[in-house]
Amino acid sequence: DTCRNFHCKRGKVCHADKQGKPHCICQDPAACPPTKDYEHVCGTDNKTYDGTCQLFGTKCQLEGTKMGRQLHLDYMGSCKHIPPCTDYEVDQFPLRMRDWLKNILIQYYERDLNTSGILTEKQRNKVKKIYQNDKRLVAGDHPVELLLHDFEKNYHMYVYPVHWQFHQLDQHPVDRLLTHSELAPLRASLVPMEHCITRFFQECDGDRDKLVALKEWCHCFGIKE
């Protein structure tokens, strides 16, 4: 089987020609394996796909067209009505997400005190300094003014959580750039602000190359160079 170790990118499958030479061709969306309801995904065309196989197969078939370039994985789950994100909400987004990331890491650290395994030793050492800081805000729905004040007063506590989340998302491939697909998992966690994610990261993408670089990510969250 010449296709056994022949790798094709997402949306394509290996096909051997008459001479047995392997080639990558577009995945037929109709031939994708059946999926459960919870595996459905929403594309940036606001259309629900049965799974990522169907979405990326469709994108491949549209290769070379404007529609194909614009189609990405928007978020996990079936498409739903998402209200527009106001200017006020998009200004709030980095404040609330910074606070959320900091508290996520603190929760991981607390769990690791009993049974280690979520964070690496290096990560635990970094989060320990945040955990031991008496000035930290506990998780909760804080006023914007308090979040802004805490960021200015305890800036050093927010730097690592922002970097940590970037590297958690930067997985396919690990290239210090975040694609639409890599950003998609954030939606499941940020339900109250999910309707602002697309707009926020579009505005983060300063050079409009459809990718969020580490420098752009940090700038969006107010982390200094």
Side-chain angles (χ1 to χ4, degrees):
D1 183 359
T2 55
C3 280
R4 185 180 294 248
N5 297 313
F6 194 77
H7 179 71
C8 295
K9 69 176 186 178
R10 292 180 89 168
K12 294 194 174 188
V13 290
C14 181
H15 174 74
D17 61 19
K18 290 177 181 176
Q19 287 75 40
K21 193 175 179 181
H23 295 279
C24 289
I25 61 170
C26 286
Q27 166 75 53
D28 177 5
C32 287
T35 57
K36 309 282 190 204
D37 286 349
Y38 61 80
E39 294 176 300
H40 290 179
V41 296
C42 185
T44 45
D45 56 354
N46 202 36
K47 178 183 172 185
T48 297
Y49 293 85
D50 286 347
T52 52
C53 172
Q54 194 180 87
L55 170 67
F56 288 106
T58 302
K59 179 177 172 64
C60 180
Q61 291 187 333
L62 294 169
E63 210 168 71
T65 67
K66 184 179 179 182
M67 195 178 294
R69 286 191 297 274
Q70 291 177 341
L71 180 59
H72 300 282
L73 170 61
D74 201 10
Y75 54 91
M76 314 304 280
S78 300
C79 295
K80 49 186 176 278
H81 171 70
I82 297 179
C85 178
T86 65
D87 292 343
Y88 177 68
E89 285 176 319
V90 87
D91 287 342
Q92 277 192 8
F93 190 92
L95 303 177
R96 299 207 174 279
M97 187 163 167
R98 276 192 314 241
D99 183 55
W100 177 72
L101 290 175
K102 176 169 63 69
N103 282 298
I104 284 287
L105 274 176
I106 287 170
Q107 286 172 29
Y108 283 171
Y109 179 81
E110 287 173 334
R111 282 188 219 165
D112 271 9
L113 290 175
N114 299 319
T115 53
S116 60
I118 301 175
L119 301 174
T120 64
E121 187 178 351
K122 185 178 178 182
Q123 289 172 334
R124 278 198 298 274
N125 289 335
K126 286 183 176 290
V127 181
K128 184 178 181 180
K129 296 171 186 174
I130 300 172
Y131 181 78
Q132 292 176 334
N133 191 315
D134 293 331
K135 303 179 191 70
R136 66 186 173 91
L137 291 180
V138 295
D141 188 17
H142 303 295
V144 174
E145 294 75 20
L146 180 59
L147 293 176
L148 195 56
H149 174 73
D150 194 61
F151 178 64
E152 291 169 354
K153 192 175 178 182
N154 302 302
Y155 170 80
H156 64 282
M157 289 171 49
Y158 292 89
V159 177
Y160 181 68
V162 169
H163 280 82
W164 170 79
Q165 180 66 82
F166 182 91
H167 292 293
Q168 287 291 107
L169 295 170
D170 182 24
Q171 298 293 332
H172 306 291
V174 178
D175 56 3
R176 295 171 72 84
L177 295 167
L178 296 183
T179 63
H180 278 269
S181 299
E182 288 174 319
L183 286 166
L186 275 179
R187 284 189 181 274
S189 311
L190 294 172
V191 175
M193 298 288 286
E194 69 174 345
H195 61 295
C196 285
I197 291 176
T198 301
R199 179 179 164 186
F200 178 73
F201 288 115
Q202 280 174 346
E203 293 181 12
C204 278
D205 180 18
D207 57 8
R208 298 289 183 266
D209 65 349
K210 310 288 186 188
L211 299 166
V212 178
L214 178 59
K215 189 174 181 179
E216 291 172 325
W217 172 274
C218 289
H219 178 73
C220 276
F221 289 105
I223 304 301
K224 302 163 193 169
E225 289 188 35

